[in-house]
Amino acid sequence: MTPPLILLQPLCKEAEPQSFEKVQIIKLSNGSVVAASLAEYSYLNNETQIQFVNTELEGVLTDILNNTSNLNKISQAFDNRSVNLKEITFLSPEVNNITDLKPYVDCTQFANYTAVISNGQWQCAGHCKTHPNYCNHHGECLNEIQKGPICRCYESSLQQFYGPQCEFFRRGPAFYGALFGSLAAVFLLLIGIIIAVYAKKKYTGIWKRSNSFNRRLSILEDDFFDFTNSAYHNLGMKDPYLSETYRPHLGNVDTQVQVTTDDPEVLDINP
């Protein structure tokens, strides 16, 4: 490696360490320290660095090469000869922004991956990222590099999703257990209500019949045993059932009188 190359390479790298590639001496004049060199910088996959290389690198590199300390180091390498920077020429930029790098992005090595710009740089994005609804929001989407997207469907005791893209749905065992348990509870409650209503109607009917029978007995007692309104009052006679004692007079009764009766007659009631 020639002395100019040894001296220029670290200075050019200092201007942009990440994108610096190399320095080449393309011409060296005999008897003088006049060297024509070429510094190469690459474009990184970053919009900010692309704009730095295109617009700011020239000024930064010029300041470094014109620095007195750096020129003295070069001069010492050439026996303290006078050294100065003649000119720096930058070629027209081949890449103006991040979108111009798309032809250089290769995602074919990954299954179902596509190139997308994210946070100012190109990325190979899987199908799950470019298609958020791939699993129908019913599962977790996983990008397999060799196989492509795979859905891990959500499952619980109440509901389960299944299918290649979790597009199908079915109830879990806990749901049916809760459903049939609820139906059984409702059924038992209805049976209890029916029994209660039937029992209430039955005993209500017996109570009504009992009360009706008691009322009839009360009416019979009033009709047959209440003599307060009997005909004795209307005839002006004393009521024989009152507390006053009725005493027949037997002093005028002839106890020697004989009483005879005729034979009973038999009536023929046949026509």
Side-chain angles (χ1 to χ4, degrees), residues 138 158-162 166-172:
H138 297 150
L158 295 176
Q159 58 183 7
Q160 298 176 349
F161 296 96
Y162 64 99
C166 303
E167 66 272 27
F168 302 116
F169 169 79
R170 62 190 171 199
R171 299 292 183 182

Side-chain angles (χ1 to χ4, degrees), residues 40-140:
E40 293 183 6
Y41 295 86
S42 63
Y43 285 105
L44 300 181
N45 182 21
N46 187 291
E47 179 66 23
T48 301
Q49 290 178 320
I50 290 174
Q51 297 306 320
F52 176 82
V53 170
N54 288 342
T55 61
E56 300 181 36
L57 179 59
E58 181 177 0
V60 173
L61 184 59
T62 301
D63 293 338
I64 292 174
L65 295 177
N66 276 327
N67 183 274
T68 303
S69 176
N70 294 331
L71 291 176
N72 290 334
K73 291 178 181 179
I74 297 174
S75 176
Q76 291 174 5
F78 290 93
D79 299 326
N80 293 321
R81 296 179 183 181
S82 178
V83 177
N84 61 354
L85 179 64
K86 185 177 181 180
E87 64 178 346
I88 296 179
T89 303
F90 271 76
L91 301 177
S92 299
E94 297 180 3
V95 176
N96 294 312
N97 51 57
I98 191 68
T99 58
D100 293 337
L101 291 180
K102 185 175 182 179
Y104 305 98
V105 181
D106 183 15
C107 297
T108 57
Q109 56 183 323
F110 309 117
N112 294 99
Y113 276 67
T114 56
V116 297
I117 297 176
S118 178
N119 297 323
Q121 62 183 3
W122 285 101
Q123 294 181 353
C124 292
H127 201 73
C128 295
K129 184 174 182 179
T130 57
H131 297 77
N133 195 33
Y134 180 76
C135 295
N136 296 290
H137 300 292
H138 297 150
E140 181 182 2

Side-chain angles (χ1 to χ4, degrees), residues 4-249:
L5 186 60
I6 296 175
L7 296 172
L8 289 176
Q9 183 165 298
L11 297 178
C12 293
K13 185 176 182 180
E14 182 183 348
E16 173 50 51
Q18 292 183 347
S19 60
F20 173 76
E21 292 289 340
K22 62 183 179 179
V23 174
Q24 293 179 333
I25 302 299
I26 58 177
K27 184 179 180 181
L28 183 61
S29 300
N30 295 328
S32 64
V33 188
V34 177
S37 60
L38 175 65
E40 293 183 6
Y41 295 86
S42 63
Y43 285 105
L44 300 181
N45 182 21
N46 187 291
E47 179 66 23
T48 301
Q49 290 178 320
I50 290 174
Q51 297 306 320
F52 176 82
V53 170
N54 288 342
T55 61
E56 300 181 36
L57 179 59
E58 181 177 0
V60 173
L61 184 59
T62 301
D63 293 338
I64 292 174
L65 295 177
N66 276 327
N67 183 274
T68 303
S69 176
N70 294 331
L71 291 176
N72 290 334
K73 291 178 181 179
I74 297 174
S75 176
Q76 291 174 5
F78 290 93
D79 299 326
N80 293 321
R81 296 179 183 181
S82 178
V83 177
N84 61 354
L85 179 64
K86 185 177 181 180
E87 64 178 346
I88 296 179
T89 303
F90 271 76
L91 301 177
S92 299
E94 297 180 3
V95 176
N96 294 312
N97 51 57
I98 191 68
T99 58
D100 293 337
L101 291 180
K102 185 175 182 179
Y104 305 98
V105 181
D106 183 15
C107 297
T108 57
Q109 56 183 323
F110 309 117
N112 294 99
Y113 276 67
T114 56
V116 297
I117 297 176
S118 178
N119 297 323
Q121 62 183 3
W122 285 101
Q123 294 181 353
C124 292
H127 201 73
C128 295
K129 184 174 182 179
T130 57
H131 297 77
N133 195 33
Y134 180 76
C135 295
N136 296 290
H137 300 292
H138 297 150
E140 181 182 2
C141 187
L142 304 175
N143 289 307
E144 289 288 341
I145 295 177
Q146 302 299 330
K147 298 179 181 179
I150 296 177
C151 291
R152 183 181 295 170
C153 301
Y154 298 140
E155 291 186 4
S156 68
S157 58
L158 295 176
Q159 58 183 7
Q160 298 176 349
F161 296 96
Y162 64 99
Q165 294 180 243
C166 303
E167 66 272 27
F168 302 116
F169 169 79
R170 62 190 171 199
R171 299 292 183 182
F175 172 81
Y176 291 104
L179 176 63
F180 292 127
S182 300
L183 292 177
V186 172
F187 181 72
L188 292 176
L189 179 61
L190 289 176
I191 291 178
I193 294 174
I194 293 173
I195 293 175
V197 171
Y198 175 78
K200 181 178 180 181
K201 289 184 177 181
K202 180 178 179 181
Y203 288 108
T204 300
I206 294 174
W207 182 81
K208 288 182 178 180
R209 289 194 297 272
S210 176
N211 286 349
S212 177
F213 180 74
N214 292 336
R215 286 196 298 271
R216 286 198 296 272
L217 288 179
S218 176
I219 293 173
L220 289 175
E221 290 174 357
D222 292 343
D223 291 344
F224 294 97
F225 298 96
D226 186 5
F227 297 99
T228 57
N229 296 323
S230 61
Y232 289 102
H233 295 282
N234 298 330
L235 296 176
M237 300 177 61
K238 291 184 179 180
D239 190 346
Y241 292 95
L242 297 178
S243 59
E244 184 179 354
T245 303
Y246 175 74
R247 296 177 181 180
H249 296 277

